[in-house]
Amino acid sequence: METRTHTARGRPREFDPEKALSAALTVFWRRGYEGASMAELTEAMGITKPSLYACFGNKESLFRKALDLYEREKLCYIKTALEAPTAKGVAERLLRGSLAIQTGTTDPHGCLGVISTVACTTQAESIRDDVIARRASSDAALAERFDRARAEGDFPKTIDPQSLVTYLSAITQGMAVQASAGTPREKLEQLVETTLAVWPGK
């Protein structure tokens, strides 16, 4: 779909909102919410500031739309992970999916959610709260899956499913921070292997 806007001289200009949003996602992913300037966003998106406001709303609205795109296209491995037959299989799919996204060759390294949560100041509390709420929803689905896994005997009943969720979250967020800092993929792969080696149960 193309949107027709107008330049300063009144000539019509067309742009693809999906391509523009994808470009904005890359900027937010690299810079974080507050680190991404409007000038950098409009340049990457190939549109003027009035066109950005007309199509996407303000910067906060643009970020939320970019976050939706990030979840649809980059975090789709989470749904696949929850369908694994065992709890360890769920963990492995999550860890390897996270590793692939955080250390890919085409996208910025690290995790958009982690970058935005850590970098946001009190001036962007609503953004941080939104990111945290989305993560909480994902964690709840994972806890429910681990509840079922414990009932099926995948790991000892003495292990709290919610604790496993917190553990995995700490590992994946730590990987994201290290990936954004330039830690080689090989070292992060070792972290994945170690986590799976000490996983409780089957």
Side-chain angles (χ1 to χ4, degrees), residues 90-104:
V90 171
E92 181 168 11
R93 291 184 186 183
L94 282 174
L95 290 167
R96 297 199 187 285
S98 180
L99 177 67
I101 291 298
Q102 294 170 7
T103 62

Side-chain angles (χ1 to χ4, degrees), residues 139-191:
D139 285 351
L142 185 56
E144 182 179 349
R145 176 64 184 86
F146 284 165
D147 276 333
R148 177 160 62 87
R150 184 172 67 170
E152 293 170 350
D154 266 0
F155 53 83
K157 293 189 180 297
T158 54
I159 301 294
D160 175 36
Q162 184 58 57
S163 295
L164 285 180
V165 174
T166 303
Y167 172 62
L168 274 180
S169 181
I171 293 296
T172 55
Q173 289 180 41
M175 285 170 54
V177 172
Q178 292 188 48
S180 63
T183 299
R185 180 188 176 100
E186 294 74 22
K187 287 189 175 296
L188 297 179
E189 285 178 337
Q190 292 174 3
L191 178 59

Side-chain angles (χ1 to χ4, degrees), residues 49-187:
K49 189 180 292 187
S51 295
L52 186 154
Y53 288 134
C55 187
F56 300 103
N58 58 18
K59 181 182 177 183
E60 183 174 330
S61 176
L62 174 63
F63 178 80
R64 294 182 195 282
K65 288 180 173 64
L67 197 55
D68 288 339
L69 178 63
Y70 178 75
E71 291 181 339
R72 286 197 308 272
E73 293 192 352
K74 308 301 180 181
L75 302 186
C76 53
Y77 68 87
I78 295 177
K79 182 177 183 299
T80 302
L82 293 174
E83 296 170 351
T86 65
K88 185 173 183 178
V90 171
E92 181 168 11
R93 291 184 186 183
L94 282 174
L95 290 167
R96 297 199 187 285
S98 180
L99 177 67
I101 291 298
Q102 294 170 7
T103 62
T105 58
T106 58
D107 294 316
H109 288 179
C111 170
L112 175 61
V114 172
I115 292 169
S116 300
T117 302
V118 172
C120 280
T121 65
T122 55
Q123 295 179 348
E125 284 185 352
S126 63
I127 290 295
R128 184 173 57 207
D129 291 346
D130 185 18
V131 172
I132 291 173
R134 291 175 188 238
R135 183 181 302 147
S137 176
S138 177
D139 285 351
L142 185 56
E144 182 179 349
R145 176 64 184 86
F146 284 165
D147 276 333
R148 177 160 62 87
R150 184 172 67 170
E152 293 170 350
D154 266 0
F155 53 83
K157 293 189 180 297
T158 54
I159 301 294
D160 175 36
Q162 184 58 57
S163 295
L164 285 180
V165 174
T166 303
Y167 172 62
L168 274 180
S169 181
I171 293 296
T172 55
Q173 289 180 41
M175 285 170 54
V177 172
Q178 292 188 48
S180 63
T183 299
R185 180 188 176 100
E186 294 74 22
K187 287 189 175 296

Side-chain angles (χ1 to χ4, degrees), residues 1-18:
M1 172 180 142
E2 291 187 336
T3 296
R4 186 181 294 273
T5 62
H6 295 275
T7 65
R9 296 180 180 178
R11 293 198 303 260
R13 186 173 92 175
E14 295 181 346
F15 70 92
D16 184 333
E18 287 302 312

